[in-house]
Amino acid sequence: DKRRGRGAHGGNRSGRGHKGERQRGNRPRLGFEGGQVPFYLAIPKYGYNEGHSRRPQYQPLSLNRLQYLIDLGRVDPSQPIDLTQLVNARGVTVQPLKRDYGVNLVEEGADIFAAKVNIEVQMASEAAIAAVEKNGGVITTSFYDPRSLTVLCKPVPFFMTGQPIPKRMFPGEVLVPYYRDASNRGYLADPGQIQKARLELARKYGYVLPDITKDELFQMLSMRKDPRQIFFGLAPGWVVNMAEKKILKPTDERLLSYYNS
């Protein structure tokens, strides 16, 4: 029997038409345009594409979504909120291996947001900061390196390995100005400057800034992590034993000096 083409087995042209590349199965490589100068060579390249494969990404989290998670009981506003709570509540998906560096809190739903929270995110818009502080809450922007971010998003699998909690790395020189700026509520900013920035933002948006020192949740609202700390209540170098439900702390002076540096 004569071997037919690989199209519909009807004989004749076998569904491939007459002659040419498409009939003979000799298709050109991807990007070939018949001999003319292809698109990727004809169009000039600009600087905004430089370093695109290393550009950090921040997953958006709206105030509307945060209020929804609180109303459902997935997020407890009586405890400090960080990425561990947000990821466990399925409120946001963070993938450090795909250049995700955390969460960006955006102002969508600021008019309906009514929760008093102590929340830690990686980026936040000015309107989102105002909406949180208007209700008597506290917001902090913090940097996490990829390894610390992986541990923070999935703490239980990390604790099962029996490894000590690593210390968080400081941001690079490009991000240091952002996290030292009090207007961004950066974790490296001076607390005195942050209080002044809170008052200035209240005057700008026209609301009375609540005095959190007189609030019954003041202890919770005033909790902040150390710049080297990943988890609330757990210091770098500690080992969490999930099987025996114990926390092991280092006693060697060299280890203490390393994790405290």
Side-chain angles (χ1 to χ4, degrees):
D1 294 340
K2 185 177 180 180
R3 181 177 174 85
R4 300 192 186 100
R6 296 286 79 108
H9 302 294
N12 200 6
R13 303 295 184 271
S14 300
R16 284 176 171 259
H18 291 272
K19 301 183 181 179
E21 294 171 334
R22 297 185 181 183
Q23 188 196 51
R24 298 186 175 94
N26 186 24
R27 302 299 291 270
R29 60 174 173 77
L30 187 65
F32 184 72
E33 299 181 12
Q36 71 177 9
V37 179
F39 176 82
Y40 67 90
L41 292 179
I43 302 301
K45 281 73 176 176
Y46 295 95
Y48 55 76
N49 287 325
E50 184 178 354
H52 70 280
S53 61
R54 300 183 301 274
R55 193 172 299 163
Q57 300 179 145
Y58 299 90
Q59 296 298 323
L61 174 66
S62 66
L63 292 171
N64 189 17
R65 177 70 172 171
L66 181 59
Q67 185 67 54
Y68 173 76
L69 296 173
I70 293 174
D71 293 341
L72 286 182
R74 294 184 186 178
V75 173
D76 185 7
S78 64
Q79 298 294 328
I81 301 172
D82 59 3
L83 270 179
T84 302
Q85 278 209 45
L86 295 174
V87 172
N88 288 343
R90 300 188 300 277
V92 66
T93 300
V94 179
Q95 298 177 322
L97 295 179
K98 295 186 177 181
R99 305 195 319 275
D100 285 349
Y101 275 72
V103 167
N104 181 15
L105 190 66
V106 297
E107 65 271 12
E108 180 184 356
D111 53 338
I112 64 171
F113 187 73
K116 184 188 300 182
V117 295
N118 179 6
I119 186 170
E120 179 194 69
V121 292
Q122 284 60 62
M123 293 279 180
S125 64
E126 185 181 73
I129 294 174
V132 172
E133 295 180 348
K134 181 180 179 180
N135 298 329
V138 176
I139 182 171
T140 307
T141 57
S142 298
F143 170 82
Y144 287 90
D145 59 279
R147 186 191 180 198
S148 300
L149 195 65
T150 303
V151 173
L152 184 65
C153 293
K154 297 182 178 180
V156 174
F158 173 77
F159 293 154
M160 295 295 290
T161 62
Q163 300 179 19
I165 299 174
K167 61 180 181 180
R168 187 175 12 156
M169 298 292 103
F170 287 112
E173 59 180 0
V174 177
L175 293 175
V176 165
Y178 181 89
Y179 291 109
R180 295 188 65 181
D181 192 350
S183 61
N184 298 325
R185 306 302 186 267
Y187 74 118
L188 300 177
D190 182 19
Q193 296 296 327
I194 290 180
Q195 183 60 28
K196 293 180 181 179
R198 284 166 57 90
L199 294 172
E200 292 177 0
L201 192 63
R203 287 194 293 267
K204 179 178 180 179
Y205 281 81
Y207 60 86
V208 178
L209 184 66
D211 187 3
I212 63 174
T213 59
K214 299 179 181 179
D215 197 294
E216 59 181 3
L217 298 176
F218 172 69
Q219 184 175 1
M220 183 274 294
L221 294 173
S222 60
M223 290 180 63
R224 293 185 66 180
K225 296 179 183 177
D226 185 80
R228 290 291 197 180
Q229 194 175 359
I230 297 179
F231 299 103
F232 283 106
L234 296 175
W238 293 6
V239 177
V240 178
N241 190 330
M242 299 291 291
E244 300 180 5
K245 297 182 179 180
K246 293 182 180 180
I247 296 178
L248 308 177
K249 303 179 182 180
T251 57
D252 187 82
E253 294 184 357
R254 292 175 297 176
L255 290 176
L256 290 174
S257 61
Y258 169 75
Y259 285 111
N260 293 330
S261 61

